[in-house]
Amino acid sequence: MKFVSIIMGSKSDFDVMKSCSQTLEEFGVQYELIISSAHRSPERTKDYIAKAEAKGAQVFIAAAGMAAHLAGVLSSKTVKPIIGVPMSASALNGIDALLSTVQMPAGMPVATVAIGKAGAINSAYLAMQILALNNEELSMKLQEDRIAKAKKVEMDSLEIETIL
């Protein structure tokens, strides 16, 4: 079974990351979602990565705030794609997490998306785009979604536009 693994550093991340899981559900993409911390439960995190890979995890999404080392830990333990979602969990409104997630050393890549809900949703889309490289049905669903988004812009404009 191929699936996306979503790992959150804290339960407080769930309110934002449920947008990620809901997006995957809308496209019929299977996922696992757990809480595991790079700092508070490093052995659990390491063990989970190995188990998830053995079960078929194809892409890992890591959501963490503050020091946000979760995505980096995942990158050190697997060669599967890692997508980091910086969370706004401190007085710095997620800027600290963004910098921690995006500043990886050469050879330890983490694709980093926006802070918060937009990032959570985009992490799902990016994971699906990776999976769609070998899944024509998912690729078609993503293409149809893009067409629907473009049509919505046109419809929204028709409601308010004034053209001379």
Side-chain angles (χ1 to χ4, degrees):
M1 168 182 72
K2 294 182 179 182
F3 64 94
V4 175
S5 172
I6 305 166
I7 306 172
M8 301 174 296
S10 172
K11 186 177 179 183
S12 63
D13 299 330
F14 181 68
D15 284 342
V16 170
M17 291 307 293
K18 67 184 172 190
S19 298
C20 175
S21 60
Q22 289 168 342
T23 302
L24 293 170
E25 286 173 10
E26 289 170 13
F27 284 83
V29 173
Q30 293 187 322
Y31 66 90
E32 284 188 346
L33 187 142
I34 72 159
I35 298 169
S36 195
S37 171
H39 301 108
R40 294 181 300 270
S41 59
E43 288 302 314
R44 172 182 164 80
T45 302
K46 180 180 134 192
D47 292 344
Y48 172 74
I49 296 164
K51 289 176 186 172
E53 278 191 309
K55 290 190 300 185
Q58 298 296 297
V59 181
F60 289 87
I61 297 173
M66 301 175 77
H69 295 300
L70 184 57
V73 168
L74 293 177
S75 185
S76 75
K77 300 296 181 191
T78 183
V79 295
K80 302 286 187 196
I82 309 296
I83 303 167
V85 183
M87 303 301 289
S88 182
S90 74
L92 298 177
N93 296 319
I95 299 298
D96 48 349
L98 174 64
L99 294 175
S100 294
T101 305
V102 79
Q103 291 293 329
M104 292 298 298
M108 304 303 289
V110 170
T112 307
V113 293
I115 298 167
K117 184 175 180 180
I121 293 168
N122 280 340
S123 71
Y125 273 96
L126 182 54
M128 290 187 293
Q129 289 174 334
I130 293 167
L131 294 175
L133 292 171
N134 295 304
N135 183 329
E136 188 62 33
E137 181 182 348
L138 182 56
S139 179
M140 293 301 295
K141 286 180 182 179
L142 289 168
Q143 290 175 28
E144 291 167 3
D145 182 66
R146 289 281 173 98
I147 291 167
K149 284 178 173 29
K151 285 182 180 177
K152 182 173 180 341
V153 170
E154 291 176 27
M155 297 306 294
D156 288 349
S157 182
L158 287 173
E159 288 181 21
I160 64 166
E161 67 187 31
T162 305
I163 299 176
L164 299 177

